[in-house]
Amino acid sequence: DVLMTQTPVSLPVSLGGQVSISCRSSQSLVHSDGNTYLHWYLQKPGQSPQLLIYRVSNRFSGVPDRFSGSGSGTDFTLKISRVEPEDLGVYYCLQSTHFPNTFGAGTKLELK
Amino acid sequence: QVQLKESGPGLVQPSQTLSLTCTVSGFSLTSNSVHWVRQPPGKGLEWVGAIWSGGSTDYNSALKSRLSISRDTSKSQVFLKMNSLQTEDTAIYFCTGYGLDYWGQGVMVTVSS
């Protein structure tokens, strides 16, 4: 199975600040169809995960442009600028290039 | 508007079979896949399996021998059956639609005698 390594595990932030979360895969996530199936989710406390970014850098419907994704191959980053209270929670990366789909262990974004 | 809702028993005895239903609206099962993902209390997410638009299935290899996913397109429902349940199977079980784009609220399943 593809191992997804997320860092950091915990990320203290001040409101209005900017943060980055890293996700690295144990093998390339470039699919034979040329796409890279790396996605980012946010799980707010007591809620189900919600899709933020799909295929590395595409914002899902309704996701503010404060969220941006980048990367290629095995190395990916989620950046959040101007952090707001509703951004707090646990962020997960997911790869769906290789079966089985695998998630990172999560990064908890919390207030400093 | 895409919606998914999981239903099933909250408590299952060890060695018994878990049966969950995911009822969807706002999209067609014959055009989109549905996945199951689970989350043990206080832990991360684990992909369980999927049923594709054509009706074929894929399962997490660690669970494959105990798992079955099926559907009733006329009722817009997807079913998960997992046998030989153990305490380690205690988790919130989510179904997702449009692949993994939309998520249900999840159903908590506790395996305990």
Side-chain angles (χ1 to χ4, degrees):
Chain A
D1 297 359
V2 176
L3 178 63
M4 303 298 289
T5 303
Q6 262 185 260
T7 54
V9 172
S10 176
L11 188 51
V13 65
S14 300
L15 295 178
Q18 177 174 298
V19 296
S20 294
I21 300 170
S22 170
C23 182
R24 288 183 173 159
S25 57
S26 60
Q27 56 185 278
S28 174
L29 298 185
V30 180
H31 194 275
S32 56
D33 66 8
N35 290 310
T36 299
Y37 295 94
L38 183 285
H39 323 286
W40 291 96
Y41 294 82
L42 165 61
Q43 186 173 31
K44 299 180 183 180
Q47 296 186 19
S48 52
Q50 57 189 85
L51 179 62
L52 297 174
I53 302 286
Y54 63 96
R55 279 189 275 122
V56 181
S57 59
N58 299 279
R59 276 187 300 276
F60 192 56
S61 175
V63 174
D65 60 7
R66 300 182 291 101
F67 293 88
S68 63
S70 63
S72 62
T74 62
D75 200 350
F76 304 92
T77 301
L78 175 71
K79 288 186 181 175
I80 313 167
S81 59
R82 306 182 304 279
V83 171
E84 298 187 4
E86 58 264 32
D87 301 339
L88 302 179
V90 181
Y91 288 80
Y92 294 95
C93 58
L94 161 72
Q95 71 80 24
S96 58
T97 296
H98 305 283
F99 272 102
N101 297 340
T102 45
F103 290 89
T107 295
K108 187 173 185 179
L109 186 66
E110 52 195 359
L111 284 178
K112 258 183 202 173
Chain B
Q1 180 185 3
V2 174
Q3 291 186 320
L4 304 100
K5 186 171 176 62
E6 307 87 348
S7 58
L11 181 65
V12 180
Q13 294 201 340
S15 79
Q16 297 302 301
T17 297
L18 170 66
S19 294
L20 297 177
T21 299
C22 174
T23 303
V24 312
S25 60
F27 69 98
S28 169
L29 294 180
T30 58
S31 301
N32 297 279
S33 61
V34 168
H35 297 236
W36 290 92
V37 175
R38 69 180 184 176
Q39 184 173 38
K43 296 190 176 180
L45 301 165
E46 179 183 32
W47 181 79
V48 173
I51 186 162
W52 303 97
S53 57
S56 62
T57 53
D58 278 303
Y59 303 127
N60 186 319
S61 53
L63 304 172
K64 189 173 183 176
S65 63
R66 303 192 288 132
L67 186 61
S68 172
I69 297 175
S70 60
R71 69 184 186 183
D72 183 335
T73 56
S74 67
K75 295 182 178 179
S76 294
Q77 291 180 324
V78 174
F79 310 104
L80 178 148
K81 287 191 190 305
M82 185 183 301
N83 58 33
S84 304
L85 250 61
Q86 301 301 320
T87 54
E88 308 85 76
D89 296 312
T90 293
I92 300 173
Y93 285 75
F94 299 99
C95 63
T96 79
Y98 267 91
L100 289 135
D101 290 1
Y102 297 91
W103 294 56
Q105 64 189 24
V107 59
M108 179 68 207
V109 174
T110 301
V111 182
S112 174
S113 55

